[in-house]
Amino acid sequence: MFSWARNSTIYRIERRMHTEKQLYDAIMRKAREKFEAITDDQVKSLADAAVKFAYDNKALDDRAYAEISSRSGMRSGRSRRAVAQKLSQKGIAKETAADAVAGIDDLYAALVLARKRAFGPFRKVAFDDRRKAKEFAAFARAGFGFDVSRAVLAMAREEAEDALDAGRHF
C-alpha cells in the first residue's frame, strides 16, 4: 500500500502543482476507492506518508503554490480578494495567502478583466446608465472595490493600454 501511495504521489505531482491539503485529500479518496476493507487509520497513514514523501522530495511547497497562483490570478484579471478566497479553498494557510496576495495590483487586474469583457476603456458599445450598472456589478462580483472599478471605467483607452503595458513585468 505504501508503494502505491508513493507512486500515486509521484503521478499527481508530475501532472500539476498541489497544495498539501489537495494531495492529502486525493490520496485519501483514491485509497478508499482502490483498497476494499481499508480502515480509516490506514487511509490516514497512507495520506500522511504521501505528504511526507512529497515534502522529502521537495515536490510540495504551499508558499510557492500561493505565489504562483496569485501572480497568475492577477494576470488573468482576478482581484486580490478573489485570489485569497481561492487559495483558502485550496487549503493554504491565511498568513501564507495574505503574503502571496500582497503583491497583487488590483488596478492592473481590473484592467485585464475590462479588456477581456470589453468594459470601460475597451467598450465597443454606447455607454448608458444600464451599461454602467452592468459593468460595476461585474467588477463587484469579481471582488474589486468601487474605487478601482470607477478608476477603470473613467480611463481612456490609451491610458488603460499604457497601464497594462507598464504592469506586464508581473
Side-chain angles (χ1 to χ4, degrees), residues 12-118:
R12 290 176 190 298
I13 296 295
E14 281 180 343
R15 295 185 71 205
R16 67 180 178 90
M17 284 185 78
H18 283 67
T19 64
E20 180 179 333
K21 181 183 182 307
Q22 286 176 314
L23 180 62
Y24 188 86
D25 291 346
I27 296 296
M28 285 184 65
R29 186 182 69 251
K30 287 297 184 180
R32 284 191 178 107
E33 290 174 11
K34 182 162 180 66
F35 303 109
E36 295 178 25
I38 190 170
T39 66
D40 287 342
D41 289 338
Q42 289 173 322
V43 170
K44 288 176 184 172
S45 182
L46 284 176
D48 287 337
V51 168
K52 183 182 180 323
F53 174 76
Y55 272 121
D56 290 347
N57 289 289
K58 297 181 181 10
L60 206 57
D61 185 356
D62 282 358
R63 183 168 299 285
Y65 183 93
E67 290 171 2
I68 290 168
S69 293
S70 64
R71 283 194 305 270
S72 174
M74 182 180 64
R75 285 192 311 265
S76 59
R78 290 190 202 102
S79 69
R80 180 178 296 154
R81 188 176 301 142
V83 171
Q85 181 180 17
K86 189 72 163 178
L87 290 173
S88 176
Q89 289 171 350
K90 298 282 185 182
I92 302 291
K94 283 187 178 186
E95 300 81 28
T96 305
D99 291 344
V101 300
I104 291 181
D105 180 4
D106 267 350
L107 182 62
Y108 177 81
L111 284 168
V112 170
L113 179 66
R115 184 178 58 199
K116 279 180 164 179
R117 304 275 308 268

